[in-house]
Amino acid sequence: MELAAAKLKFIEAWGKLGSEWGINRTMAQVHALLLISPEALTTEEIMEALSISRGNANMTLRDLIGWGLIEKQHKAGERKEYFFADKDVWNIARQVAKERKKRELEPVLKVLNELSNVTGDEKDPAYKTFKKSLTDINKLAGNVDKTLETMLKAEESWFWGSVLKVFK
Amino acid sequence: MELAAAKLKFIEAWGKLGSEWGINRTMAQVHALLLISPEALTTEEIMEALSISRGNANMTLRDLIGWGLIEKQHKAGERKEYFFADKDVWNIARQVAKERKKRELEPVLKVLNELSNVTGDEKDPAYKTFKKSLTDINKLAGNVDKTLETMLKAEESWFWGSVLKVFK
DNA sequence: ATAAACTTTCAATAATATTTGAAAGTTTAA
DNA sequence: TTAAACTTTCAAATATTATTGAAAGTTTAT
């Protein structure tokens, strides 16, 4: 397969994966484009490469910066802003985990926590079932949370080394 | 907080979490409802509890069965179908992991694999960057895949015991 | 100060996803 | 059979989310 075709396919696949996991398709595509680009690109070039409008490109780039996945770059003597992506896939994974944990997981954990002081009759099956589910979910969520925390601090090789070692 | 209010809040929170992770909000809500219900419920009761239409309820229930998260139950002498959710949170997590791996991760891994035999000039930075990204993503994806596989087979306590042990 | 080069905003529009509800389909009991 | 009880389907309506593009805003050089 030719490089040009492969690039398009990669961008498409990355975009699809993103959209299935709650990340805007265009955002994932722009990220993919920058990820496989050796040099930083301008808004103009990104618009061109993905056939998207200026407004869309601008907002998407801003979002990606907010996610910590790309950065602006300024070239000496040029007005234009260039954008480039962190190429370290482990950093990317950590960054995404960090943001989603903060934006989505933590608010839910907060609600679950509030709910755990629900009042009711210990003899009521509805109450007991509710309590049990909450407790179990909290336990699981606590473990997920701890593991993510470790991941966020860890080096890739150490993390996978540790995790995979116990699984063979 | 009263049980009734707490239930509503839980259903809402579960629905929101679901929608942020690419799962239809109604589907997550129906699942939440059944998860905290001690007995199996009819379509009618679910429609009523969540104010959704018959068609929506029917499709959502079918989807949830497809995900392996709920089951039908028949009561002796009754025509109606009852639905109940597996209450084991670890089973739920595994089931969701299994389905999403199959439906979304695997197709992408397949594409990534196809892309890895892209042809090009080793001296071309665009080619080198592309190759490098692919290789790195494949490596990470491989580790995620192995870990998920282990999770799917494992008992909860063993899995978290093993993972958390190395993280203390 | 002015104008060119570039970036940002946001109301309008388009695309996508979800939901409805009534009709069609199925099963059971008498 | 027939009809009541129940389930499924799916075209149309609604709601949600993403995108456009032109106008407004900003920065820099002269």
Side-chain angles (χ1 to χ4, degrees):
Chain A
M1 185 185 291
E2 294 293 327
L3 181 57
K7 279 180 170 180
L8 289 179
K9 211 163 181 179
F10 176 73
I11 290 167
E12 195 190 340
W14 208 238
K16 185 150 166 274
L17 185 65
S19 73
E20 284 163 342
W21 287 84
I23 286 159
N24 179 306
R25 206 182 87 256
T26 302
M27 188 168 143
Q29 287 183 338
V30 171
H31 182 239
L33 176 66
L34 291 174
L35 190 60
I36 59 179
S37 169
E39 331 87 26
L41 302 178
T42 62
T43 301
E44 210 74 36
E45 290 169 320
I46 292 164
M47 287 165 57
E48 162 79 11
L50 301 178
S51 307
I52 61 174
S53 71
R54 184 171 302 286
N56 195 5
N58 182 267
M59 281 183 157
T60 299
L61 288 167
R62 198 131 51 74
D63 283 353
L64 280 169
I65 290 173
W67 277 72
L69 294 175
I70 68 171
E71 286 177 43
K72 281 186 187 175
Q73 191 174 68
H74 287 281
K75 296 204 177 176
E78 290 209 49
R79 291 279 306 275
K80 279 196 289 271
E81 293 179 326
Y82 286 77
F83 299 90
F84 72 98
D86 183 350
K87 300 288 190 295
D88 184 328
V89 174
W90 177 246
N91 277 346
I92 295 168
R94 280 200 302 202
Q95 205 58 41
V96 171
K98 184 178 172 183
E99 287 294 322
R100 299 206 73 159
K101 177 161 135 56
K102 187 174 75 195
R103 295 177 193 207
E104 291 139 25
L105 212 51
E106 281 169 14
V108 171
L109 292 182
K110 193 159 154 284
V111 171
L112 288 179
N113 212 51
E114 283 169 38
L115 292 180
S116 66
N117 53 36
V118 62
T119 57
D121 174 5
E122 291 293 345
K123 296 276 165 282
D124 177 9
Y127 178 74
K128 275 166 52 185
T129 305
F130 185 74
K131 271 276 192 180
K132 178 79 165 58
S133 291
L134 271 195
T135 308
D136 290 354
I137 290 168
N138 265 317
K139 224 175 275 176
L140 183 68
N143 285 342
V144 170
D145 202 66
K146 262 186 247 163
T147 305
L148 283 178
E149 276 302 324
T150 307
M151 173 188 167
L152 292 181
K153 289 183 210 137
E155 284 301 315
E156 180 171 18
S157 61
W158 178 83
F159 183 83
W160 290 116
S162 300
V163 170
L164 295 173
K165 190 167 54 195
V166 297
F167 291 164
K168 45 164 124 54
Chain B
M1 186 185 290
E2 292 293 328
L3 180 58
K7 279 179 169 182
L8 288 179
K9 211 163 182 178
F10 176 73
I11 290 167
E12 195 189 342
W14 208 239
K16 184 150 165 271
L17 185 65
S19 71
E20 284 163 342
W21 288 84
I23 286 159
N24 180 307
R25 205 182 88 256
T26 302
M27 189 169 142
Q29 287 183 338
V30 170
H31 182 239
L33 176 65
L34 291 174
L35 190 60
I36 59 179
S37 168
E39 329 88 25
L41 303 179
T42 62
T43 301
E44 210 73 36
E45 289 168 320
I46 292 164
M47 287 165 57
E48 160 79 12
L50 302 178
S51 307
I52 62 174
S53 72
R54 184 172 302 285
N56 194 5
N58 182 266
M59 282 186 156
T60 299
L61 288 167
R62 198 133 51 76
D63 284 353
L64 280 169
I65 290 172
W67 277 72
L69 293 175
I70 68 172
E71 287 176 44
K72 281 186 188 176
Q73 191 174 67
H74 287 281
K75 296 205 177 175
E78 290 210 49
R79 292 277 309 272
K80 279 196 287 269
E81 294 178 326
Y82 286 77
F83 299 89
F84 72 99
D86 183 350
K87 301 288 192 293
D88 185 327
V89 175
W90 178 245
N91 277 345
I92 296 169
R94 280 202 302 203
Q95 204 58 41
V96 171
K98 183 178 172 183
E99 287 294 323
R100 300 208 72 161
K101 177 161 136 53
K102 188 175 76 197
R103 295 179 193 205
E104 290 140 26
L105 213 49
E106 281 168 14
V108 171
L109 293 183
K110 192 157 155 286
V111 172
L112 289 178
N113 213 51
E114 283 169 37
L115 293 180
S116 65
N117 53 35
V118 61
T119 57
D121 174 5
E122 291 292 348
K123 295 277 167 283
D124 177 9
Y127 178 74
K128 276 166 50 185
T129 306
F130 185 73
K131 271 276 191 181
K132 177 82 164 59
S133 291
L134 270 194
T135 308
D136 290 353
I137 291 168
N138 265 317
K139 223 175 276 175
L140 182 67
N143 285 342
V144 170
D145 203 65
K146 263 186 246 162
T147 305
L148 282 178
E149 275 302 323
T150 307
M151 173 188 166
L152 292 182
K153 289 183 211 136
E155 286 300 315
E156 179 170 17
S157 62
W158 179 83
F159 183 82
W160 289 117
S162 300
V163 170
L164 294 173
K165 190 167 54 196
V166 296
F167 291 165
K168 66 147 162 331

